[in-house]
Amino acid sequence: MRSRVRTEIYLDYAASTPCDPLVVEAMMPWLTSEWANPSSAHLAGRRAQKAVEEARSQLADAIGCSSNELFFTGGASEANNIAIRGCAQAHATARSKVIITPIEHKSVLGPCEALVQCGFRREVVPVDRDGRVDLGALANALDSDTLMVSIQLASNEIGTIQPLREVTELAHQVGAIVHADVTQGLGKIPVDLEELGVDLASMSAHKCYGPKGIGALYVRGGAGSRLVKPLCEGGGQERGLRPGTENVPAIVGFGAAAQIASERLESESRRVAKQRDELEEMLVKGLEGVRRNGPMSRRLPGLSSLTFNGVESDAVLANCPELAISTASACNSGAPEPSHVLLGIGLSRHEAYSTVRIGVGRFTTDDEIRRASEKLKAVVERLRSISRSESSIAGQGESVDTKVVALR
Ligand SMILES: *Cc1c(COP(=O)(O)O)cnc(C)c1O
């Protein structure tokens, strides 16, 4: 799987992870010799059906729920949409308020905006400088008109792990439904849905070493609970909640990925956190004006968000294209606006434009950590010295991009 040019270093594990070779191996038969439709009554169809159900129970075991509470979707974005829009449709007239934080994923913010267009009220409860939700403000916002609270388990940009157990306790006191996007937690920190007490949860395979285009929605109590209505009608797949022929290879891969990740969770998260900490140490100690975003404890093990004072993150990226890191969330790239998550925790636009996200993961080596930190340090120093000389002698730029328009 190491076909990349050796000089490239992949440190964007929060945007996507490589498919583990063991996952690819598990998927292989379902891409080659076993192509039948799981809805078919023949033997081959039944084998495919059985593979889907085995994957469902692998995933259920990994997150502490029962198989009948899991519905496969085309990813976490779709699961978030079904959770939020489908919940609103199922309870259309009962309650009219949804509560979120300013640092939710775009695929949560978007559906909430759609609800507002339909007459729902949206209340955004603040988070602190580390991204942690203000539980007092949440308690104040919750009332008997609150239909749902949607708060992620862990931030894909700054790694903050939310006190979800406390969130669900508060929300359930007023009878509100709790949805959690647990995508970034799955496979990286223990996720026990029973313990968290959430009613709906979204997840994705490609953030935990599975294939892209497959995710799942957890619905407490399964289809019978009527917590959500399907957004699409058609075939009865996934007990009517998500019609369409099941993506058997991807589902098998998701099951395998979830199982592998939960088996390795402890040792892997320890190693990954150590590498992340080393990288941060080298940059924070080796350079001036570097700030870590997110909390120092209760943070995702492999994620680092760093603000380099006086240096635009676009310029950093443009000057080390062989380093796969990102300016904000990948979902935001292409947009000239600074990250809503960084603004949400109180960074200025300027600081947000000077922030990079680095994601360490399963296949990161110590050597890559060392090389990446040296490269980043050199690039930041060079950019700073150029902007200093530019401001003092208004000289011509060198062959270095100090100002890069956000084209990505
Ligand atoms: C990646 C991500 C998503 C989107 O998942 P897809 O499967 O790519 O649609 C949603 N939420 C969070 C927190 C993510 O990190």
Side-chain angles (χ1 to χ4, degrees), residues 83-396:
I84 294 165
R85 306 170 78 135
C87 181
Q89 281 184 25
H91 304 85
T93 53
R95 295 173 174 223
S96 69
K97 183 153 118 183
V98 289
I99 298 177
I100 53 172
T101 78
I103 65 169
E104 298 306 312
H105 192 265
K106 286 272 162 97
S107 59
V108 163
L109 299 180
C112 286
E113 175 61 29
L115 293 194
V116 169
Q117 302 302 321
C118 301
F120 278 81
R121 287 182 303 135
R122 168 187 50 202
E123 191 156 341
V124 182
V125 295
V127 294
D128 67 16
R129 192 82 185 173
D130 286 339
R132 245 187 245 105
V133 62
D134 181 337
L135 290 172
L138 175 64
N140 285 336
L142 285 162
D143 58 19
S144 59
D145 191 38
T146 307
L147 173 63
M148 119 184 289
V149 178
S150 180
I151 295 184
Q152 64 198 0
L153 174 61
S155 167
N156 53 308
E157 285 195 43
I158 53 174
T160 313
I161 298 169
Q162 298 291 359
L164 263 192
R165 175 72 243 177
E166 286 85 339
V167 168
T168 52
E169 270 167 16
L170 288 171
H172 286 165
Q173 281 171 20
V174 299
I177 294 164
V178 177
H179 166 249
D181 180 344
V182 304
T183 307
Q184 286 290 335
L186 183 60
K188 300 182 185 113
I189 56 171
V191 176
D192 184 337
L193 295 178
E194 194 52 48
E195 191 192 305
L196 293 174
V198 298
D199 304 294
L200 300 164
S202 308
M203 56 211 95
S204 181
H206 77 99
K207 305 287 175 75
C208 62
Y209 310 96
K212 291 173 182 58
I214 190 75
L217 176 66
Y218 158 82
V219 180
R220 174 181 294 278
S225 71
R226 307 196 179 280
L227 277 174
V228 289
K229 272 202 171 149
L231 300 185
C232 295
E233 305 291 338
Q237 290 94 346
E238 297 298 295
R239 287 142 287 151
L241 192 59
R242 207 278 190 166
T245 304
E246 297 89 339
N247 186 347
V248 181
I251 288 171
V252 168
F254 193 4
Q259 184 173 30
I260 295 166
S262 66
E263 282 165 4
R264 297 188 188 171
L265 190 109
E266 234 185 271
S267 60
E268 186 166 289
S269 60
R270 209 178 311 122
R271 179 183 62 73
V272 161
K274 189 162 169 282
Q275 288 180 326
R276 185 269 319 270
D277 292 345
E278 277 167 13
L279 181 90
E280 284 188 342
E281 285 294 295
M282 286 189 266
L283 291 168
V284 170
K285 292 215 175 100
L287 287 165
E288 272 165 30
V290 184
R291 218 192 68 188
R292 283 181 259 218
N293 301 303
M296 286 305 103
S297 63
R298 289 193 56 77
R299 176 165 65 140
L300 285 177
L303 202 131
S304 178
S305 170
L306 298 172
T307 305
F308 298 102
N309 287 348
V311 178
E312 283 187 22
S313 52
D314 274 323
V316 175
L317 264 63
N319 284 286
C320 50
E322 71 280 16
L323 262 191
I325 57 176
S326 68
T327 49
S329 73
C331 322
N332 289 352
S333 53
E337 275 301 296
S339 151
H340 70 280
V341 174
L342 298 175
L343 298 183
I345 60 168
L347 263 62
S348 66
R349 290 174 69 88
H350 203 73
E351 289 167 324
Y353 279 129
S354 304
T355 301
V356 301
R357 179 186 69 179
I358 302 171
V360 176
R362 182 171 295 169
F363 302 105
T364 306
T365 64
D366 291 344
D367 183 55
E368 286 178 320
I369 292 290
R370 188 185 49 74
R371 277 161 49 218
S373 67
E374 279 167 7
K375 180 74 194 176
L376 271 173
K377 187 167 167 285
V379 167
V380 169
E381 276 169 349
R382 200 148 55 110
L383 289 170
R384 279 181 178 162
S385 75
I386 287 164
S387 66
R388 263 197 303 276
S389 61
E390 266 184 353
S391 57
S392 57
I393 53 169
Q396 305 296 311

